[in-house]
Amino acid sequence: IAGITQAPTSQILAAGRRMTLRCTQDMRHNAMYWYRQDLGLGLRLIHYSNTAGTTGKGEVPDGYSVSRANTDDFPLTLASAVPSQTSVYFCASSDSILGQENTGELFFGEGSRLTVL
Amino acid sequence: GQNIDQPTEMTATEGAIVQINCTYQTSGFNGLFWYQQHAGEAPTFLSYNVLDGLEEKGRFSSFLSRSKGYSYLLLKELQMKDSASYLCAAMDSNYQLIWGAGTKLIIKP
């Protein structure tokens, strides 16, 4: 089934450790996004990529980095995890840049629940 | 600043109608989105409005008033499977999505 795959589904991590959340899509979408979702808050954009080879910072980029070496993969790395990064992380994609050519529908992965102790 | 307001929680009865309101303040406006999110799952797209008026899609309808910075999602003939959180998001002038915290809808038999 076409879509977005995230891994791991959940992870408990010690503070200070490095962690990479993986995201792969097979829909050949150009744009990809990483969001975090915390109780009582709306989804917050961490980083995005409008096309392979380019990335940009979202609303809450500090402590996170991304890369977009090809169309399908968009990993999110926490260089040195802190407890405030405990959250559910969603990867999403859209077939073109939001607001251009399409309605901006985002397709989300199932999420990665990360707990930093 | 940019802001989205929607009720935290609502309760409705199976078979009834419920209206979930959303007000927004953004720097510019390029559309209003509604997503459904079941507990522990990914959000899924429901609707997109950029012009004033009502868009109907089966049991779900979405309304937009740009002059009032207001939208609502109307769910008819409620079913138990409609129990979920409903996320409102507005797109600003930079095509960034500003998300509300979501409205948790509880359906009772």
Side-chain angles (χ1 to χ4, degrees), chain A residues 35 37 40-45 48 90 98-100 102-106 108-110 113, chain B residues 30 33 35 37 40-45 48 87 91 94-102:
Chain A
Y35 285 94
Q37 187 174 42
L41 298 177
L43 288 164
R44 291 184 291 170
L45 183 64
Y48 65 94
F90 285 101
L98 287 181
Q100 299 181 15
N102 70 345
T103 62
E105 177 180 355
L106 295 179
F108 285 85
E110 291 300 313
R113 182 175 296 276
Chain B
N30 280 299
F33 298 80
Y35 280 76
Q37 185 178 24
E41 298 184 8
T44 55
F45 173 83
Y48 169 72
L87 313 181
M91 187 183 291
N94 293 319
Y95 300 103
Q96 297 294 317
L97 285 173
I98 312 301
W99 294 83

Side-chain angles (χ1 to χ4, degrees), chain A residues 3-4 6 27 33-38 41-44 88-93 104-112, chain B residues 6 33-47 84-89 97 99-102:
Chain A
I4 297 182
Q6 290 185 232
M27 297 177 283
Y33 314 85
W34 273 105
Y35 285 94
R36 60 178 290 174
Q37 187 174 42
D38 301 290
L41 298 177
L43 288 164
R44 291 184 291 170
V88 179
Y89 292 86
F90 285 101
C91 180
S93 71
E105 177 180 355
L106 295 179
F107 296 83
F108 285 85
E110 291 300 313
S112 296
Chain B
Q6 54 181 129
F33 298 80
W34 285 96
Y35 280 76
Q36 180 189 59
Q37 185 178 24
H38 286 100
E41 298 184 8
T44 55
F45 173 83
L46 288 177
S47 67
S85 288
Y86 292 86
L87 313 181
C88 173
L97 285 173
W99 294 83

